[in-house]
C-alpha cells in the first residue's frame, strides 16, 4: 500500500469493496440497485481519471536522460531547471562513453511538469529523452 512514501492501490482496494457490494446486491435480487451502483461507480472513476489528467494530480517517476559532450555545464543547467520547476531529483547518475556523457535524473513529476521539463531540457546543448522508470530499469 506504500511506495516511495505515497499510498498506492487505494482506488483498487475501493473497487474491490464496490464490486463486492454490487455482487451482494445482485445476489439478493436487487438488480435495479446493482445497475444504479455500477453506473455510479463507472461515472465516479471517469470523473476521477479526468481530474487527475486535467489538473496534474497524479505523479510518476520519470527518468530524464541527457546525452552531451560537455557534461559539467549541462548538469549545472539541468539541476537549475529542476530547482526552478520545484522537481525533486530522486536519483541521478553520470556515465561516460568516450567523448559523450550520459546523465540520468529520476524525478517524481506530474504530467504537465514532465512536458514543461522536456521543453526546457530540450533547449540545452544535449540530446534529451524521458522514460517511464518502470519500463527502463533492468533487474
Amino acid at each position: 500500500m506504500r511506495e516511495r512514501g505515497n499510498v498506492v492501490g487505494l482506488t483498487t482496494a475501493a473497487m474491490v469493496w464496490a464490486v463486492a457490494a454490487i455482487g451482494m446486491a445482485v445476489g439478493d435480487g436487487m438488480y435495479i440497485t446493482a445497475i444504479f451502483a455500477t453506473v455510479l461507480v463507472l461515472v465516479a472513476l471517469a470523473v476521477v481519471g479526468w481530474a487527475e489528467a486535467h489538473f496534474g494530480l497524479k505523479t510518476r517517476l520519470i527518468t530524464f536522460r541527457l546525452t552531451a559532450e560537455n557534461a559539467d555545464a549541462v548538469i549545472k543547467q539541468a539541476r537549475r531547471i529542476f530547482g526552478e520547476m520545484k522537481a525533486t531529483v530522486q536519483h541521478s547518475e553520470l556515465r561516460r562513453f568516450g567523448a559523450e556523457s550520459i546523465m540520468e535524473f529520476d524525478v517524481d513529476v506530474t504530467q504537465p511538469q514532465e512536458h514543461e521539463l522536456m521543453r526546457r531540457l530540450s533547449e540545452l546543448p544535449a540530446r534529451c529523452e524521458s522514460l517511464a522508470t518502470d519500463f527502463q530499469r533492468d533487474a
Side-chain angles (χ1 to χ4, degrees):
M1 291 276 309
R2 292 185 65 84
E3 180 180 297
R4 295 187 326 245
N6 296 323
V7 176
V8 295
L10 200 55
T11 305
T12 305
M15 283 308 305
V16 169
W17 283 97
V19 170
I22 292 169
M24 291 181 69
V26 169
D28 196 31
M30 302 170 66
Y31 302 114
I32 300 299
T33 303
I35 291 170
F36 177 75
T38 301
V39 170
L40 188 66
V41 166
L42 291 174
V43 168
L45 286 173
V47 168
V48 167
W50 174 84
E52 281 183 342
H54 185 72
F55 297 112
L57 301 175
K58 187 174 184 177
T59 62
R60 62 187 185 149
L61 194 61
I62 299 292
T63 297
F64 292 94
R65 181 181 295 156
L66 302 170
T67 306
E69 290 185 15
N70 187 359
D72 296 332
V74 172
I75 286 175
K76 287 178 186 175
Q77 292 173 326
R79 289 201 177 274
R80 179 184 50 78
I81 291 170
F82 290 130
E84 289 172 359
M85 299 267 320
K86 295 182 177 37
T88 305
V89 176
Q90 304 288 332
H91 176 261
S92 63
E93 187 175 331
L94 172 65
R95 294 187 306 258
R96 297 189 191 273
F97 294 101
E100 284 192 331
S101 296
I102 298 175
M103 298 147 278
E104 292 185 346
F105 303 91
D106 293 343
V107 185
D108 208 13
V109 294
T110 63
Q111 190 170 8
Q113 275 182 315
E114 178 185 356
H115 293 302
E116 181 62 15
L117 280 168
M118 273 302 291
R119 185 189 71 74
R120 293 185 64 186
L121 291 171
S122 295
E123 295 171 354
L124 297 177
R127 193 170 58 247
C128 185
E129 305 171 76
S130 69
L131 307 153
T133 301
D134 299 340
F135 299 110
Q136 70 95 24
R137 291 274 182 225
D138 294 330

